Amino acid sequence: MARRGPQGGGAAKRDRILRAAIRIFSQKGYFNSRISEIARLAGVADGTIYLYFKNKDDLLISLFEEKMGEVVSDVRARVAEGGDALSRLRIFIGNHMDLLVREAGLIEVIQVELRQSNKFMKEYVPVKFLEYLDVLGGILDAGKLEGIFRPDLNVTLARRAIFGALDEISLAYVLSRKRKYDPAEAADEIYRIFAVGLRGQAPTMGGKP
Amino acid sequence: MARRGPQGGGAAKRDRILRAAIRIFSQKGYFNSRISEIARLAGVADGTIYLYFKNKDDLLISLFEEKMGEVVSDVRARVAEGGDALSRLRIFIGNHMDLLVREAGLIEVIQVELRQSNKFMKEYVPVKFLEYLDVLGGILDAGKLEGIFRPDLNVTLARRAIFGALDEISLAYVLSRKRKYDPAEAADEIYRIFAVGLRGQAPTMGGKP
Amino acid sequence: MARRGPQGGGAAKRDRILRAAIRIFSQKGYFNSRISEIARLAGVADGTIYLYFKNKDDLLISLFEEKMGEVVSDVRARVAEGGDALSRLRIFIGNHMDLLVREAGLIEVIQVELRQSNKFMKEYVPVKFLEYLDVLGGILDAGKLEGIFRPDLNVTLARRAIFGALDEISLAYVLSRKRKYDPAEAADEIYRIFAVGLRGQAPTMGGKP
Amino acid sequence: MARRGPQGGGAAKRDRILRAAIRIFSQKGYFNSRISEIARLAGVADGTIYLYFKNKDDLLISLFEEKMGEVVSDVRARVAEGGDALSRLRIFIGNHMDLLVREAGLIEVIQVELRQSNKFMKEYVPVKFLEYLDVLGGILDAGKLEGIFRPDLNVTLARRAIFGALDEISLAYVLSRKRKYDPAEAADEIYRIFAVGLRGQAPTMGGKP
DNA sequence: TATGAATGAGACTTCATTCAT
DNA sequence: GATGAATGAAGTCTCATTCAT
C-alpha cells in the first residue's frame, strides 16, 4: 500500500500499470505473465514498472491490497445501507456476484492467484481479504443477536462456507465461456440456501446414516 | 542386480514419481517446483521422469486425473452405502473433510493448482473433477425426487456452492498452521447448514431490502 | 576556456560531485558505485552530474587527474624543500604515507581503480600519475649525480619499485581494519631499506645459487 | 576450492572454463567480461558454467585460489632448493618475474582484480595470496637468524615492500605494449636493491632534513 | 530402461543516460 | 542551469528438456 516511486503525475502512470497487470495476470496467470507485456499494455518502458513497484511480486501484492481495499470499502458502505442481518446478507451476496461484472479482471486474479500467494509467498498476509471476510462475519454475528440465525452457529466456519460458495460459483462463471447462468439469479439462489440454512435445525436422515 | 519386469518395476517407479510430485507441488506450488527436486525425492534421474510423463504439465495433469479418479471411485462407493439423499449428503461432506487428513498433499495440490490449470492450460478439461461434482449433483437430484430438497433447487448452482464451501474450509484448514477446528466438526456444521438450506423457503427480510 | 560545466557557482557544485565520487568510489569501487548515489551524496540531481562530466568514466578520470594533480604539485613543493637526494627521498616517502591520513578516500580510489582504468579504459593515459613517478625519478637521477646512489642504478625500474612498495603498504594499511602499524613508522622502515639498497653492491650468496 | 559440478570427465571442462575466464578477465577486467564470452571461448553453453561455479564471483574466486594455490606450491618447491636466505630471495624474485612470462594471463587477473575483490567482496579472504606472502616472510625471518639481514628489520613491512615492488614492476610490464625491459634483468635489479637494503644501516642525509 | 551432464532460450531486473519541464 | 522521471539495452542466471552413453 506504500506509495513508492514518483509522486503526483506519476499516480496516473502507476494506475495504468496496475490496470495492465490485472488484465495480463487475469488472462495468463502470474507465472505466465511477462513484465514486458504488462509494460507494453500500460504504454511504459519495462524499467518504469520498477519505479513504482519493487518487483513482480510486489506488483501482484499491491494489486491485491489496493484493489481489494477498494472492494472492501465499497461493500462496507453498501452493507451499511441494509436493515437486519438477512437484508445485509442479501446485499453482500448480491454485491459479490455483481463484482464479477463490474470488476471482472480483478476478481479473476484474486480467485486464482490469492491461493498461490497465500500459500507460497512467505511473509504475505492477505490483510484486505481477511477484512472482506470480517464484513461477512459481522453480518452473521449480528444475525445471531437478532435471533435470525441459530445461536450455536459457528460464525468462523459459516463465513468461510458462504465465501467459498460465492467464490466457487464466481470461478465457474469466469471459467465457462458459455456463461450458463446469470450472476443476479445465482445470487438469489445462494441467498435462499444460506438464509434458510443458517437459521434452522438439521432434519433427521433416513436410511443407513 | 536382477531387473524387475518392465511393467512391475516401471509402474512402481511411475507411482514414486507421482507421489514425489504431490509432495513437492503441495509444498511449493507448481511453478516453484523443480523437476530435479521431484526426481531427487522419487529417487530417479531427471530424465527418467520424461520416460513416464510427456512434460511437467503432463505430470500435473496425470496427477489430477489419476489421483482424483481414485478419490471419485472411493466417494462413489461410500455414498452408495448411504440411504436417502440427506444421509448421502452427510457422507459426501464427511468424506471430503476426511480427505484433508487421508490425502493431505493431494488435496492441497488440487485446491491450489486446479484453478491455475483450469484457466491457463490450454485444452485441459478436468474430467475427474467434474465427475466428483456429478456425484454431488446426483445426490441433490435424488433429494429433489425424494421431496427432501425443494423442487425448484438449481442443482448446478447448489452443487458448486456446496463444493465451494467445502473447498474453502479445507483451504483455510490447510493454510492455517494452528488447525483451529476439527475437520469432523466442520463437516457437521456444513452439513447442518446445507441440509436445512437446500430444503426450505427463504424467510422475509426486515429493514430496507 | 577549457573549463567544462557551469562557471562560478557551478565550480562549487562540481567539486561537491567530485568529493562525493571519491567517497563512493572508495567505499564500493567504480563498478559497484551508482551515479544516483553520488548525486544524492553531492546533493544534486542525477542529471546534474552530466552537466559537469561527460559520463561516469569521465568522472573517474577527472577525479584522477585533478586530485592527483594537486597531490603532484604538493609533493613537488615539499620535495623542493629537501637538501640532497636522500633527504628528498625521505620527504617523498614520508609524504606518501602521510597521504593515507590526509587524503584517505582519494588514495583508496587511485590504488584500486587506477589499475582497472589503466588497463581497460581505452585511450586513457594517466598523465598525472606518470608525473608523480617522475618526481621520484628526478630524485633518483639527482642521487646518482650526487654519488649517493650507485651509478648503474636503473632509475626506471627503481622508481617503480619504490612506488610499488609504498603503494602495497598503503593498500595493506587501507584494507586492514586493525591498522597494525603507524604510517610514519612504516615510512621510516621503507626509507631505510631503499636508502641503503639504492646505494650499494649486492653481497654474495651462499649455498646453491 | 570445493569441487562443484560433475566429476571425472567434467574436470577437463571445468579447467577449460577456468582458462577461458583467465583469458577474458585478463583482457577486459572482471566487470567488463561477459559470462557468454567466457562460455564461447571455453566451448560450452552459458548454463554449463553454472554447473561448475556458483556464479560469476565464484568463478573469479576459484580462479584466484586454485591457480594461486599452484603458484604457491611451485614457488615453495623452488625456494626450498635455495641455500641461504639471499639465494632464496633471489629465487623468489626471479620466479615472480618469470611468472609474467609463464602465466601471463593469471598474473594480470590477480594484479588487477585482487585489489577490487580484497576490498569489495564481502567475506572473501585471499588465503592463497597470504600464503604467497608467507613464503617471502619465511625467507626474511631466516635471513635475520642467519645474520644476513639486520636484526631490527620489520618483516611484515618488508615482505609487503618487496611484493609491492615486484607487483608494480610486473604491472608496468603487463601494461606497456612495448615491453621496455626484460623480466630477468628486472629481477636482477630488484634483487640488488633489496639484498643490500635489507642488510645495512641508513646513511645520514645532507641538507635540510 | 535409466542416467545426468549439457543445453540455450528467455525472464527479471538494473542503471547510465536523456530530455521535457 | 537544474531536475528526476523515464527509458531500454543488456547481463546474469534458471531450469525444462534432450540425448549420448
Side-chain angles (χ1 to χ4, degrees):
Chain A
M1 299 282 273
R3 304 269 148 182
R4 286 184 216 80
Q7 310 294 335
K13 193 161 289 186
R14 186 190 152 91
D15 205 57
R16 285 220 311 281
I17 295 169
L18 274 180
R19 283 182 207 289
I22 290 176
R23 181 86 155 271
I24 302 290
F25 286 162
S26 75
Q27 277 170 15
K28 319 201 155 187
Y30 178 77
F31 285 102
N32 290 318
S33 296
R34 305 296 150 225
I35 286 286
S36 58
E37 213 169 352
I38 293 171
R40 196 184 322 128
L41 185 58
V44 299
D46 291 21
T48 303
I49 290 183
Y50 291 85
L51 296 177
Y52 295 90
F53 303 93
K54 201 151 56 79
N55 51 34
K56 199 182 168 190
D57 276 16
D58 186 45
L59 181 53
L60 179 62
I61 288 175
S62 299
L63 186 161
F64 281 160
E65 296 299 304
E66 295 179 31
K67 294 298 172 185
M68 196 69 189
E70 294 172 14
V71 166
V72 170
S73 302
D74 186 63
V75 75
R76 275 208 180 107
R78 287 169 192 258
V79 159
E81 303 276 311
D84 65 0
L86 274 181
S87 83
R88 286 154 68 198
L89 179 62
R90 182 67 191 74
I91 291 170
F92 186 94
I93 290 173
N95 182 69
H96 190 99
M97 296 308 292
D98 193 41
L99 282 174
L100 281 182
V101 181
R102 299 197 326 260
E103 299 272 20
L106 174 62
I107 297 303
E108 292 179 45
V109 174
I110 288 172
Q111 279 171 332
V112 174
E113 305 301 336
L114 189 59
R115 297 202 160 190
Q116 285 265 359
S117 312
N118 251 340
K119 201 154 162 34
F120 307 117
M121 280 185 189
K122 356 190 174 271
E123 95 213 53
Y124 173 56
V125 181
V127 180
K128 289 298 170 184
F129 171 72
L130 296 176
E131 286 183 21
Y132 189 68
L133 277 188
D134 277 343
V135 174
L136 191 47
I139 294 172
L140 300 190
D141 281 329
K144 283 168 74 170
L145 290 176
E146 293 170 15
I148 292 177
F149 302 140
R150 64 181 150 80
D152 60 341
L153 182 71
N154 182 332
V155 170
T156 306
L157 278 173
R159 69 182 188 175
R160 283 273 178 188
I162 296 172
F163 175 80
L166 290 170
D167 192 44
E168 177 67 27
I169 286 171
S170 303
L171 183 66
Y173 177 78
V174 156
L175 293 183
S176 77
R177 304 243 181 285
K178 308 168 203 168
R179 302 289 138 99
K180 295 180 215 169
Y181 50 77
D182 176 62
E185 285 173 30
D188 272 335
E189 186 69 301
I190 302 298
Y191 170 71
R192 288 182 66 183
I193 292 173
F194 284 103
V196 175
L198 299 175
R199 184 172 50 177
Q201 296 302 317
T204 51
M205 294 174 267
K208 312 166 236 176
Chain B
M1 200 171 193
R3 277 182 129 184
R4 292 181 200 163
Q7 294 303 322
K13 194 163 286 188
R14 186 175 198 280
D15 203 58
R16 284 220 312 281
I17 295 169
L18 275 181
R19 281 183 209 289
I22 290 176
R23 181 88 153 270
I24 302 292
F25 285 162
S26 75
Q27 278 170 13
K28 320 199 157 189
Y30 179 77
F31 284 102
N32 290 317
S33 295
R34 307 295 152 229
I35 287 287
S36 60
E37 209 170 354
I38 294 170
R40 196 185 324 129
L41 186 58
V44 300
D46 292 19
T48 304
I49 289 182
Y50 290 84
L51 298 176
Y52 294 91
F53 303 93
K54 198 151 59 79
N55 52 34
K56 197 183 170 189
D57 277 15
D58 185 47
L59 181 54
L60 180 62
I61 289 174
S62 299
L63 186 163
F64 280 159
E65 296 302 302
E66 296 180 29
K67 294 297 171 184
M68 197 69 190
E70 296 171 15
V71 165
V72 170
S73 303
D74 186 65
V75 75
R76 275 209 179 106
R78 286 169 194 258
V79 159
E81 304 274 309
D84 64 0
L86 274 183
S87 84
R88 285 154 68 200
L89 178 62
R90 183 66 192 74
I91 291 169
F92 186 93
I93 291 173
N95 182 67
H96 190 100
M97 296 309 291
D98 194 41
L99 282 174
L100 280 182
V101 181
R102 298 198 327 258
E103 299 273 18
L106 174 63
I107 295 303
E108 292 179 44
V109 174
I110 288 172
Q111 280 171 333
V112 174
E113 305 301 336
L114 188 58
R115 296 201 162 192
Q116 286 264 0
S117 313
N118 256 339
K119 203 155 161 33
F120 307 116
M121 280 184 188
K122 4 198 168 262
E123 93 212 55
Y124 173 57
V125 180
V127 180
K128 290 298 170 184
F129 171 72
L130 296 177
E131 286 183 21
Y132 189 69
L133 277 187
D134 277 344
V135 174
L136 191 47
I139 295 172
L140 299 190
D141 282 330
K144 283 168 74 169
L145 289 178
E146 292 169 17
I148 292 177
F149 302 140
R150 62 181 150 80
D152 61 342
L153 184 72
N154 181 333
V155 170
T156 306
L157 277 175
R159 70 183 188 174
R160 284 275 178 186
I162 297 172
F163 175 79
L166 291 170
D167 192 45
E168 177 67 26
I169 286 171
S170 302
L171 182 66
Y173 178 78
V174 157
L175 293 183
S176 78
R177 303 240 180 286
K178 306 166 203 167
R179 301 289 139 98
K180 295 178 212 167
Y181 51 78
D182 177 61
E185 286 174 27
D188 272 335
E189 185 69 300
I190 301 299
Y191 169 71
R192 287 183 67 183
I193 292 174
F194 283 103
V196 176
L198 298 174
R199 185 172 49 176
Q201 297 299 318
T204 51
M205 294 174 265
K208 312 165 237 176
Chain C
M1 278 276 283
R3 198 177 256 170
R4 289 183 221 88
Q7 311 293 328
K13 195 164 286 187
R14 186 175 197 282
D15 203 58
R16 285 219 313 280
I17 294 169
L18 274 181
R19 283 183 205 289
I22 290 176
R23 180 87 155 272
I24 302 291
F25 286 161
S26 74
Q27 279 170 13
K28 319 200 158 186
Y30 179 76
F31 284 102
N32 290 318
S33 295
R34 307 292 151 231
I35 285 288
S36 60
E37 211 171 352
I38 293 170
R40 198 186 320 130
L41 186 58
V44 301
D46 292 20
T48 304
I49 289 183
Y50 290 84
L51 297 175
Y52 295 90
F53 303 93
K54 199 150 60 79
N55 52 33
K56 197 183 171 189
D57 277 15
D58 184 46
L59 181 53
L60 179 63
I61 288 173
S62 300
L63 185 162
F64 280 159
E65 295 301 304
E66 296 181 29
K67 295 297 170 184
M68 197 68 191
E70 295 172 15
V71 166
V72 170
S73 304
D74 186 64
V75 76
R76 275 207 179 108
R78 287 170 193 256
V79 159
E81 305 273 311
D84 65 0
L86 274 182
S87 85
R88 285 155 68 200
L89 178 62
R90 181 67 190 77
I91 291 170
F92 186 93
I93 290 174
N95 182 67
H96 191 100
M97 296 308 291
D98 194 41
L99 281 174
L100 279 183
V101 181
R102 299 201 323 264
E103 298 273 19
L106 174 62
I107 297 304
E108 294 180 42
V109 174
I110 288 172
Q111 280 172 333
V112 175
E113 305 302 335
L114 189 58
R115 297 202 161 189
Q116 287 265 358
S117 313
N118 255 340
K119 202 155 163 32
F120 307 117
M121 279 185 190
K122 7 201 167 259
E123 92 215 54
Y124 172 56
V125 181
V127 180
K128 291 297 171 185
F129 171 72
L130 296 176
E131 287 184 20
Y132 188 69
L133 278 187
D134 277 344
V135 174
L136 191 47
I139 294 172
L140 300 189
D141 282 330
K144 283 169 72 170
L145 290 178
E146 292 169 19
I148 293 178
F149 303 141
R150 60 181 153 81
D152 61 342
L153 182 71
N154 182 333
V155 170
T156 307
L157 276 174
R159 68 181 189 175
R160 284 274 179 187
I162 297 172
F163 175 79
L166 291 170
D167 191 44
E168 176 68 25
I169 286 171
S170 302
L171 183 65
Y173 177 78
V174 156
L175 293 182
S176 77
R177 302 243 180 286
K178 306 167 202 166
R179 302 288 137 98
K180 295 180 211 166
Y181 50 77
D182 177 61
E185 288 174 26
D188 273 335
E189 185 70 301
I190 301 300
Y191 170 71
R192 290 182 64 182
I193 292 173
F194 284 103
V196 177
L198 298 175
R199 184 173 47 180
Q201 298 300 317
T204 52
M205 293 175 265
K208 313 164 235 173
Chain D
M1 299 282 272
R3 305 267 150 185
R4 285 185 216 81
Q7 309 293 338
K13 194 160 290 188
R14 185 191 152 90
D15 205 57
R16 285 219 315 279
I17 295 169
L18 275 181
R19 282 182 207 291
I22 289 175
R23 181 88 154 273
I24 302 291
F25 285 162
S26 76
Q27 277 170 15
K28 320 201 156 188
Y30 179 77
F31 284 103
N32 290 317
S33 296
R34 304 296 150 225
I35 286 288
S36 58
E37 213 168 351
I38 294 171
R40 196 183 325 127
L41 186 58
V44 299
D46 291 22
T48 304
I49 290 182
Y50 292 86
L51 296 177
Y52 295 90
F53 303 94
K54 201 150 57 78
N55 50 35
K56 199 182 166 189
D57 275 17
D58 186 46
L59 181 53
L60 179 63
I61 288 175
S62 299
L63 187 161
F64 280 160
E65 296 300 303
E66 296 178 31
K67 295 298 173 187
M68 196 69 191
E70 294 172 15
V71 166
V72 170
S73 303
D74 186 62
V75 75
R76 275 211 179 104
R78 287 168 193 257
V79 159
E81 304 275 310
D84 66 359
L86 274 182
S87 84
R88 285 155 67 199
L89 178 63
R90 181 66 190 78
I91 292 170
F92 186 93
I93 289 174
N95 182 68
H96 190 99
M97 296 309 290
D98 193 43
L99 281 174
L100 280 182
V101 181
R102 300 202 319 264
E103 300 271 19
L106 174 62
I107 296 303
E108 292 179 45
V109 175
I110 287 172
Q111 279 171 333
V112 175
E113 305 301 336
L114 190 60
R115 297 202 160 189
Q116 285 265 359
S117 313
N118 253 342
K119 202 155 160 32
F120 307 118
M121 279 185 187
K122 351 186 175 276
E123 95 213 53
Y124 173 57
V125 181
V127 181
K128 290 299 170 186
F129 171 72
L130 296 176
E131 287 183 20
Y132 189 69
L133 277 188
D134 277 343
V135 174
L136 191 46
I139 294 172
L140 301 191
D141 282 329
K144 283 169 71 171
L145 290 176
E146 294 169 15
I148 293 176
F149 302 141
R150 65 182 148 79
D152 61 343
L153 182 72
N154 182 333
V155 170
T156 306
L157 277 173
R159 68 181 189 176
R160 283 274 179 187
I162 298 172
F163 174 79
L166 290 170
D167 192 44
E168 177 67 25
I169 287 171
S170 304
L171 183 66
Y173 177 78
V174 156
L175 293 183
S176 77
R177 304 243 179 285
K178 308 166 202 167
R179 303 286 140 101
K180 298 179 214 168
Y181 50 77
D182 176 62
E185 287 172 30
D188 272 335
E189 184 69 299
I190 302 299
Y191 170 70
R192 288 183 66 183
I193 292 173
F194 284 104
V196 176
L198 299 174
R199 184 173 48 178
Q201 297 301 317
T204 51
M205 293 174 267
K208 311 167 240 173

